[in-house]
Amino acid sequence: MNKRRALSKVIFGVIVVSLSVALIGCTKKTEQKNDEKLKVTVSINPLKEFAQAIGGDKIDINMMVPEGMEPHDFEPKSKDLIELNKSQIFIYNGLGMEEWLDKVTDTIEDKDKIQLIDSSKGIEAIKTAGKIDPHIWLSLKNAKIQSNNIKEALIKADAKNKDYYEKNYKDFSEKLDKLYSDNVSRFKELSNKDFVTGHEAFGYLCRDFGLTQKSVEDVFGEGEITPQKLKELVEFCKTNKVKTIFAEQLASPKVSETLANEVGANVQSIYTIESKEDNKDYYESMKDNLDKIYNSLK
Ligand SMILES: [Zn+2]
């Protein structure tokens, strides 16, 4: 254990102790105030989107990784632990997306009171360069599985609204099915299947539609671009006549721009949905992504 780790462990211990003190003071009040609505904590934005779609006005959602933050860089604070301990359900992505998960779940006071939901349950993971890719929500098929896991958790915690959650899930999954079937046929007809992104987040989307991604940064948004890597990407783009380089707001748009200039391609934005962008919901962001990818390949 290095010094920084050791220090952060001590700090975390202090947070946990002060949290326990804080909780004794405030538990009663919140229970009375939010009587009717389920309090649900989610880790990241896609789960907030799914929980909203299924839970509607029956739930209050608290999101741990704040808007606009790159979730791969997130570290939980004491206020996050306080909010989590007020919840009846905690939904996390799973597959290593939340590297801090154990630290957070260890602070749960009453393990019988809070349902811990791994949204990735039932999803077949992709391994890339020895690492598991956690960006499961960028597949419409996975989104249905995650939403179903969330629906089951809501029903377990609030059985009297079962029909409401079932109906919302049905509406949402039908919308996703339609978007999937609209796209699967048109992508099948394309001969060009390769596209270039900023960070390697689109593996599951590629699996759904038989596409291939090349990217500037690795699956965790890490890795400085080396001259060698840039050279490889330039050659790839030239060989495959890549016309569009996709860039993400939270990754490194600068490198995507450099690459685009180098090969005479244009840069377009793409949504990882790790944070909400342009006020688009999950469906709108995915539709936009698929339209843009399709148009860049046809
Ligand atoms: Zn990512």
Side-chain angles (χ1 to χ4, degrees):
M1 187 186 299
N2 64 31
K3 259 191 187 158
R4 220 182 114 226
R5 273 264 162 88
L7 180 64
S8 75
K9 230 186 169 177
V10 172
I11 292 172
F12 205 78
V14 173
I15 289 172
V16 172
V17 172
S18 41
L19 168 70
S20 312
V21 175
L23 274 175
I24 296 166
C26 63
T27 316
K28 249 191 181 159
K29 229 195 288 173
T30 37
E31 270 175 7
Q32 282 164 358
K33 213 167 55 187
N34 294 333
D35 230 8
E36 330 81 60
K37 291 195 180 189
L38 272 186
K39 177 134 177 140
V40 178
T41 290
V42 299
S43 57
I44 55 172
N45 182 59
L47 303 172
K48 183 183 177 186
E49 294 278 344
F50 301 151
Q52 232 152 27
I54 313 302
D57 59 9
K58 308 285 184 215
I59 66 173
D60 264 333
I61 304 173
N62 160 55
M63 183 166 67
M64 222 177 241
V65 178
E67 290 283 341
M69 180 184 271
E70 156 63 69
H72 300 294
D73 297 337
F74 175 75
E75 278 291 333
K77 310 266 185 320
S78 59
K79 70 167 174 38
D80 301 316
L81 307 180
I82 293 171
E83 286 303 312
L84 171 64
N85 272 280
K86 290 184 204 161
S87 310
Q88 282 121 302
I89 303 176
F90 174 45
I91 304 160
Y92 57 95
N93 184 74
L95 298 178
M97 187 68 196
E98 297 86 359
E99 288 176 50
W100 38 266
L101 183 67
D102 290 348
K103 284 210 285 194
V104 161
T105 52
D106 284 351
T107 72
I108 293 178
E109 305 271 300
D110 184 351
K111 296 234 162 32
D112 298 328
K113 208 199 95 190
I114 305 180
Q115 275 194 72
L116 299 183
I117 302 301
D118 178 351
S119 79
S120 73
K121 205 180 97 195
I123 288 172
E124 197 191 322
I126 293 176
K127 252 193 181 170
T128 165
K131 292 177 184 168
I132 289 177
D133 180 353
H135 302 88
I136 44 177
W137 64 89
L138 287 163
S139 148
L140 296 168
K141 288 181 166 182
N142 290 349
K144 279 177 63 180
I145 300 176
Q146 291 181 282
S147 301
N148 187 58
N149 289 335
I150 293 171
K151 181 200 73 180
E152 295 298 322
L154 295 180
I155 291 173
K156 196 174 166 199
D158 179 27
K160 69 178 184 304
N161 287 310
K162 181 174 189 293
D163 292 349
Y164 177 83
Y165 299 132
E166 294 280 11
K167 163 98 173 56
N168 285 349
Y169 172 75
K170 188 170 172 280
D171 293 347
F172 188 56
S173 61
E174 279 173 5
K175 231 171 123 178
L176 301 185
D177 281 341
K178 170 87 169 54
L179 187 58
Y180 176 79
S181 59
D182 286 349
N183 275 282
V184 79
S185 46
R186 65 172 180 168
F187 276 110
K188 209 172 268 171
E189 284 160 21
L190 292 174
S191 55
N192 184 9
K193 311 269 189 192
D194 308 296
F195 65 104
V196 177
T197 56
H199 109 269
E200 198 177 348
F202 297 88
Y204 292 92
L205 183 149
C206 288
R207 183 168 74 183
D208 276 2
F209 298 105
L211 306 172
T212 315
Q213 68 176 336
K214 287 270 172 190
S215 58
V216 174
E217 289 183 340
D218 77 1
V219 72
F220 293 98
E222 284 164 2
E224 286 280 292
I225 183 99
T226 59
Q228 176 61 26
K229 179 98 188 272
L230 187 62
K231 200 173 149 228
E232 274 171 34
L233 283 167
V234 167
E235 266 158 32
F236 176 84
C237 292
K238 284 182 174 162
T239 314
N240 294 286
K241 299 192 171 56
V242 171
K243 297 267 183 302
T244 308
I245 311 288
F246 290 103
E248 304 129 49
Q249 219 171 58
L250 299 178
S252 43
K254 280 250 161 61
V255 185
S256 300
E257 276 161 30
T258 309
L259 179 61
N261 282 338
E262 198 73 30
V263 299
N266 68 71
V267 177
Q268 284 211 25
S269 62
I270 194 166
Y271 303 117
T272 62
I273 320 181
E274 286 179 356
S275 199
K276 200 178 184 78
E277 287 175 51
D278 300 334
N279 209 28
K280 285 188 163 66
D281 67 15
Y282 176 81
Y283 175 86
E284 291 163 341
S285 305
M286 284 302 282
K287 185 172 187 313
D288 197 85
N289 282 347
L290 290 164
D291 286 346
K292 278 186 183 153
I293 294 169
Y294 177 77
N295 288 327
S296 80
L297 295 177
K298 76 169 184 197

